[in-house]
Amino acid sequence: MREPDAAFTDPRQAVLYDVFDDDRSDLDAYVAIAREVGARRIIDLGCGTGSLAVRLAGEGLSVVGVDPAGASVQVARTKPYADRVTWITGDATALGGVAGEADMVVMTGNVAQVFVSDEDWSATLTVVRAALRPGGRLVFETRRPEVRAWEGWDLAPTTVSLPDGRAAVVTRTVTVVDLPLVTFEGSTAIDDEILTSTSTLRFRDRDEIERDLLAHGFAVEDVRDAPDRPGKELVVLARVSLEKGL
Ligand SMILES: C[S@@+](CC[C@H](N)C(=O)[O-])C[C@H]1O[C@@H](n2cnc3c(N)ncnc32)[C@H](O)[C@@H]1O
């Protein structure tokens, strides 16, 4: 499995994730879906700094937060209700211990796009299916490739105030568009330090996603719009077929 980006694994960058992305109203839709389907045991795969995991735990749900970026999980552990979450530093293959028990696996923040290779995506879907109970759901979002979001990702040097009063100068450049892959480089300058991270994301269209889910034993139950980003993303609800084991 490909290593996560420095933006998530470097402790100096992981603590900035919630500072730069402080509006998490995108998570409301996932809390609502958990309620809608009556999920009680939830795995937040690619939980990052744990914003959704702790929110769900605060609602009394049983939550496992999984992410291979230890520095991001460390940030998650400091949040209110973090002590109610089971944290696992690893990718989906570390989920063996909860096999067949989860009502819902969720991937927010476009985690589905970090699986660049077919092998990593397939391995993840295989383990996710095994972690779910029969009839359990995989719920995730992914950017619609036809919207070409990357065309708006370049960011000229922009100064952002940090909670400790210091200033950070943030820059982002899309370096390679070789569809379905898009690569971009981010840099954050704080005092004399320059922190960098290179990311590659894969854009899968709806047909490809539905085909992949079907091939891994899921039925696509619904494909919705992300309420906070209308027209830009697909929110996919897939259900493990009741004939688990086939
Ligand atoms: C954009 S962040 C989203 C984090 C979180 N879900 C959220 O909504 O804030 C993408 C996350 O995917 C994680 N990631 C990278 N490779 C992964 C893998 N193989 N399995 C699970 N998560 C992975 C990264 O470490 C990072 O935390």
Side-chain angles (χ1 to χ4, degrees):
M1 199 76 73
R2 195 172 66 112
E3 290 293 308
D5 310 334
F8 311 117
T9 60
D10 174 356
R12 298 166 302 173
Q13 299 192 54
V15 292
L16 298 174
Y17 183 84
D18 293 327
V19 176
F20 294 156
D21 196 4
D22 59 344
D23 175 8
R24 295 315 307 263
S25 50
D26 59 305
L27 301 178
D28 296 351
Y30 296 92
V31 175
I33 290 171
R35 284 196 198 117
E36 174 188 330
V37 303
R40 307 277 327 151
R41 294 162 301 182
I42 300 178
I43 296 170
D44 182 0
L45 179 58
C47 64
T49 58
S51 298
L52 179 65
V54 296
R55 202 167 145 186
L56 294 170
E59 298 218 348
L61 303 179
S62 165
V63 185
V64 178
V66 191
D67 199 292
S72 294
V73 176
Q74 276 309 112
V75 174
R77 286 179 184 276
T78 66
K79 296 187 173 176
Y81 301 113
D83 55 338
R84 299 189 190 175
V85 176
T86 301
W87 301 106
I88 298 177
T89 300
D91 57 45
T93 58
L95 281 172
V98 287
E101 293 173 359
D103 299 316
M104 176 168 146
V105 173
V106 63
M107 294 190 288
T108 62
N110 292 293
V111 167
Q113 294 190 248
V114 308
F115 304 105
V116 165
S117 71
D118 290 336
E119 292 73 21
D120 284 1
W121 181 227
S122 176
T124 301
L125 290 179
T126 300
V127 183
V128 164
R129 185 177 186 271
L132 286 163
R133 65 166 172 78
R137 288 171 175 87
L138 168 61
V139 179
F140 64 94
E141 65 187 23
T142 190
R143 297 180 187 88
R144 297 164 59 134
E146 61 274 25
V147 175
R148 303 178 70 83
W150 57 87
E151 292 180 349
W153 285 353
D154 280 354
L155 182 68
T158 302
T159 302
V160 180
S161 301
L162 300 179
D164 63 9
R166 289 183 301 164
V169 180
V170 182
T171 309
R172 190 171 49 240
T173 309
V174 175
T175 51
V176 185
V177 178
D178 183 13
L179 296 179
L181 305 183
V182 174
T183 299
F184 56 96
E185 292 176 3
S187 101
T188 305
I190 304 175
D191 299 332
D192 293 336
E193 214 166 26
I194 298 182
L195 311 172
T196 60
S197 183
T198 301
S199 306
T200 300
L201 297 178
R202 176 151 172 179
F203 286 75
R204 295 178 176 86
D205 65 21
R206 181 172 174 162
D207 286 349
E208 184 177 6
I209 286 167
E210 294 204 12
R211 211 171 39 241
D212 290 347
L213 289 168
L214 195 66
H216 288 82
F218 291 94
V220 176
E221 192 174 38
D222 200 2
V223 181
R224 304 179 179 176
D225 215 11
D228 58 312
R229 287 150 291 170
K232 296 184 174 168
E233 312 216 346
L234 304 172
V235 176
V236 181
L237 281 77
R239 198 158 194 196
V240 172
S241 63
L242 290 174
E243 301 84 43
K244 196 169 164 75
L246 281 183

